[in-house]
Amino acid sequence: TGYTYDTGVREITVNVTDEGGVLKAEWMVNGETAESVEFANNYKPASVSIELPVSKKITGNATPEDKVFTFHLTAKDNAPMPAQGGETVTVTGEGKATFGKISYEAAGEYAYTVEEIAGNDHGYGYDSAVHTVLVTVTDEDGMLKAEWTLDGEKAESVEFVNVYAPDSAMLSIPV
């Protein structure tokens, strides 16, 4: 798996001459003198793709369900990125989303950061964490395999937790 074989045909001609009782052989490949016959095979493992999940949790009382939260993925050192627009995702209320598909063509380590873009909604304390995601791509018999860790640990998703505490209101009751 992963190999493309040279399918070219070589015509080999051996010209044998008698030089004073000693036979001498001269090889020709496709009409040109050659020391050897060469075939050029190519190796390229099958690519692999991942979709990195992000999740939102909200703590507090009576959290609104219609609030939209935005998250952004940034590549380090020219790591591959999702197609245009896939580097930013939104989640409404508590829930999950995935960044766009990221394809890898070669084995290696690829680093990213993921962060929440803080809003200015009253009552919310936004998660200010900037998480590091490391994708490790290995070549296993011509097939690439990708695994990722979050801040050095295995994880199900990149999780952000916000705190919701609605603004207090004062009520005056005339007596």
Side-chain angles (χ1 to χ4, degrees), residues 13-89:
T13 306
V14 180
N15 188 16
V16 180
T17 56
D18 183 349
E19 296 183 6
V22 177
L23 296 179
K24 181 179 176 185
E26 183 179 274
W27 296 85
M28 298 188 78
V29 177
N30 294 335
E32 296 181 18
T33 303
E35 295 288 320
S36 64
V37 179
E38 293 184 18
F39 291 86
N41 295 336
N42 293 311
Y43 177 73
K44 183 179 179 191
S47 65
V48 65
S49 298
I50 66 165
E51 291 185 15
L52 190 62
V54 63
S55 61
K56 168 54 68 189
K57 298 274 188 208
I58 305 169
T59 63
N61 295 329
T63 59
E65 295 179 9
D66 60 348
K67 173 67 183 115
V68 176
F69 301 97
T70 305
F71 307 92
H72 189 74
L73 175 73
T74 304
K76 300 293 182 189
D77 301 320
N78 295 317
M81 286 290 285
Q84 184 68 26
E87 71 278 0
T88 301
V89 297

Side-chain angles (χ1 to χ4, degrees), residues 56 67-72 89-91 115-129 160-164:
K56 168 54 68 189
K67 173 67 183 115
V68 176
F69 301 97
T70 305
F71 307 92
H72 189 74
V89 297
T90 60
V91 174
E115 60 189 317
E116 179 175 12
I117 299 171
N120 56 5
D121 296 293
H122 294 289
Y124 281 96
Y126 288 87
D127 192 330
S128 62
F160 291 88
V161 180
N162 287 3
V163 177
Y164 179 73

